[in-house]
Amino acid sequence: MNLNPKFVSLLSAFLFFVTMSQAQEKKETTTFDLKRQLEYCALQASKTLEVIPDNGSSPRSIPTGSKEWKFVDYKDWTSGFWPGELWYLYEATGDKKWEKEADKFSRFLTPLSVSKAADHDLGFQVFNSFGNGYRLTKNAAYKEIILKTADTLATLFNPKVGTILSWPHNKYGGHNTIIDNMMNLELLFWASKNGGSKKLYEIALKHAETTMNNHFRPDYTSYHVLVYDYETGKKIKGITAQGYSDGSMWARGQAWAIYGFTMVYRETKDRKFLDFAHKLARVYLDQLTTEDLIPYWDFNAPGIPNEPRDASAAAIVSSALIELSSYTKEAILKKEYLSKAKKMIVSLSDQYQSHDFNSAFLLHSTGHKPAGSEIDCSINYADYYYLEALLRLQKLKK
Ligand code: GLY
């Protein structure tokens, strides 16, 4: 057989590339010790437990260069992440010590189920704490708290717009919905399937549809905040609060979107949400320019490469991609999601862990850069989704 030399050299280059990338992937997965990372998280959390004041508060963040946690009470939007981490550690180890602590810190959040809704964050707060708790223990008291909170969250739904009002305290000249709100729909879906009103399902579904139709630019990058007319439901404008500019891709916003729409597909089995989650993941992965796959806090931040990273966005996306890969039939795409999710987790484990700097799991997250707050620091939601991603990876291996 006479083969064209050009074809032969192209074929060899291709085979070389395939072999090298397979070898690289094998190296990443074989040298990565998942058990050791979980032990590391347990060790760090044990250190944190020793410094939490006995006043119902929980650890939120550690400023750059400091070793001291900033503590918050149950009303803070991040109050569910610490108890959520404790529940994940209980899941990872089966050690009753973690169950006891998780129960204690979850119960501090009980008033949220009987108070007026302050904002959309009730899902982050109550589902990450009591939701994980109920999943692991089937404690009926937790279920009651989750169901009551879902009804509370539903009071923020505006049927004229078709979304939940995310921030009642921020006016913006209309009904505002932030992309983060997608995450809190999981509480409503769960409640509707576990003894709550079927209306909660309809609200969550409508919120997801309205968001899908309005909250994204033509290239599938997300606005942070969408402002709608209260009465007509018409879209007024898309703006930012925590991103660089109204037109930029704020890394954690896109991360919430990828995770949120993947979860909505899981809950509804409606393919339009799966197709949409693929598009959101595509633009994030295509625009990710960092070697270690940990994004800058905003993909369009003007000072790149001298801008802070956001490890929390990477933790959220890695966890989401593991789930999205499980719904992906196309082999090449499935492989890409999994290998990139693993690479993000390996990067976080090798280069972003706190160790002796402080007792959080991770360094280098960015909370609210435009407000000058929580820049390049440790934050509890980065730790929560990092641990979740480790557990999802572990389930995958089993
Ligand atoms: N949900 C607020 C944030 O992502 O910072």
Side-chain angles (χ1 to χ4, degrees):
M1 186 169 51
N2 255 343
L3 285 176
N4 179 330
K6 221 170 171 183
F7 173 76
V8 172
S9 71
L10 268 176
L11 186 68
S12 339
F14 175 73
L15 288 175
F16 176 76
F17 173 76
V18 169
T19 318
M20 287 308 283
S21 58
Q22 278 173 343
Q24 176 63 21
E25 201 184 318
K26 194 151 181 247
K27 181 168 166 269
E28 271 161 20
T29 41
T30 48
T31 56
F32 183 66
D33 187 345
L34 200 47
K35 192 163 159 272
R36 199 156 63 87
Q37 312 312 327
L38 290 168
E39 283 165 5
Y40 161 78
C41 293
L43 177 71
Q44 295 296 92
S46 299
K47 290 188 230 164
T48 298
L49 275 176
E50 284 171 24
V51 298
I52 303 176
D54 194 14
N55 61 2
S57 63
S58 65
R60 169 172 166 147
S61 59
I62 306 178
T64 333
S66 168
K67 285 186 184 300
E68 313 278 322
W69 281 102
K70 295 224 178 274
F71 297 98
V72 288
D73 73 9
Y74 73 91
K75 291 184 186 148
D76 188 85
W77 84 271
T78 70
S79 62
F81 294 114
W82 171 246
E85 286 168 51
L86 296 168
W87 283 118
Y88 279 149
L89 287 173
Y90 175 50
E91 183 174 4
T93 62
D95 185 339
K96 289 278 179 193
K97 158 191 162 176
W98 297 115
E99 183 189 20
K100 186 166 157 272
E101 297 293 352
D103 174 74
K104 173 181 149 189
F105 283 95
S106 294
R107 284 180 192 271
F108 291 147
L109 278 66
T110 306
L112 292 170
S113 63
V114 288
S115 320
K116 192 168 173 275
D119 56 39
H120 73 110
D121 289 316
L122 287 165
F124 283 123
Q125 292 165 304
V126 168
F127 205 61
N128 294 347
S129 53
F130 290 107
N132 278 312
Y134 184 75
R135 182 173 61 81
L136 296 170
T137 65
K138 299 289 176 275
N139 182 329
Y142 297 171
K143 183 174 181 178
E144 200 181 314
I145 290 165
I146 303 167
L147 291 177
K148 277 191 193 154
T149 310
D151 288 339
T152 308
L153 178 57
T155 61
L156 294 176
F157 183 69
N158 177 344
K160 290 176 183 158
V161 175
T163 68
I164 289 162
L165 173 64
S166 302
W167 285 336
H169 47 280
N170 283 0
K171 296 298 170 229
Y172 295 122
H175 168 105
N176 68 67
T177 299
I178 65 171
I179 193 61
D180 325 28
N181 202 147
M182 285 300 300
M183 300 293 285
N184 296 313
L185 305 182
E186 192 171 4
L187 167 69
L188 303 181
F189 282 124
W190 186 91
S192 74
K193 295 172 187 177
N194 288 275
S197 163
K198 296 290 164 249
K199 271 198 191 136
L200 299 172
Y201 185 98
E202 298 307 323
I203 288 174
L205 180 64
K206 186 71 187 164
H207 182 111
E209 281 172 344
T210 309
T211 299
M212 189 171 79
N213 294 335
N214 294 294
H215 217 112
F216 296 86
R217 305 177 190 100
D219 65 355
Y220 301 102
T221 59
S222 179
Y223 291 105
H224 185 195
V225 186
L226 231 279
V227 184
Y228 298 93
D229 185 283
Y230 274 113
E231 292 305 320
T232 64
K234 269 184 76 174
K235 171 175 170 172
I236 299 175
K237 57 186 172 184
I239 54 174
T240 199
Q242 287 167 252
Y244 164 62
S245 72
D246 293 346
S248 69
M249 177 159 67
W250 174 47
R252 199 165 51 260
Q254 194 71 18
W256 293 140
I258 297 167
Y259 192 118
F261 279 97
T262 303
M263 174 276 295
V264 172
Y265 171 68
R266 181 214 310 147
E267 296 299 328
T268 61
K269 291 287 171 282
D270 186 334
R271 275 202 69 91
K272 70 175 182 254
F273 295 121
L274 180 61
D275 294 343
F276 200 66
H278 285 307
K279 288 178 172 137
L280 302 175
R282 189 71 271 145
V283 65
Y284 181 99
L285 294 174
D286 282 354
Q287 294 195 23
L288 194 57
T289 53
T290 51
E291 180 74 20
D292 62 7
L293 302 191
I294 311 303
Y296 295 101
W297 70 282
D298 189 299
F299 281 65
N300 308 104
I304 289 172
N306 301 312
E307 293 278 355
R309 302 292 184 101
D310 184 14
S312 77
I316 296 159
V317 170
S318 61
S319 184
L321 286 180
I322 293 173
E323 177 167 13
L324 187 56
S325 75
S326 72
Y327 309 136
T328 307
K329 295 221 164 61
E330 201 196 310
I332 295 176
L333 189 58
K334 187 183 182 81
K335 195 161 177 255
E336 181 194 355
Y337 287 159
L338 272 181
S339 72
K340 290 197 170 152
K342 281 182 203 159
K343 184 161 182 203
M344 289 170 199
I345 295 168
V346 170
S347 289
L348 290 172
S349 305
D350 286 353
Q351 298 162 51
Y352 289 73
Q353 284 184 348
S354 309
H355 291 284
D356 293 335
F357 282 112
N358 64 48
S359 69
F361 304 164
L362 298 176
L363 301 165
H364 306 308
S365 289
T366 296
H368 196 331
K369 176 89 165 37
S373 113
E374 298 186 323
I375 300 167
D376 194 20
C377 65
S378 297
I379 310 186
N380 60 9
Y381 44 87
D383 290 0
Y384 175 88
Y385 289 102
Y386 171 60
L387 184 49
E388 180 181 276
L390 289 173
L391 285 174
R392 285 184 172 185
L393 202 54
Q394 191 181 49
K395 282 179 193 156
L396 215 61
K397 283 181 188 296
K398 278 180 185 163

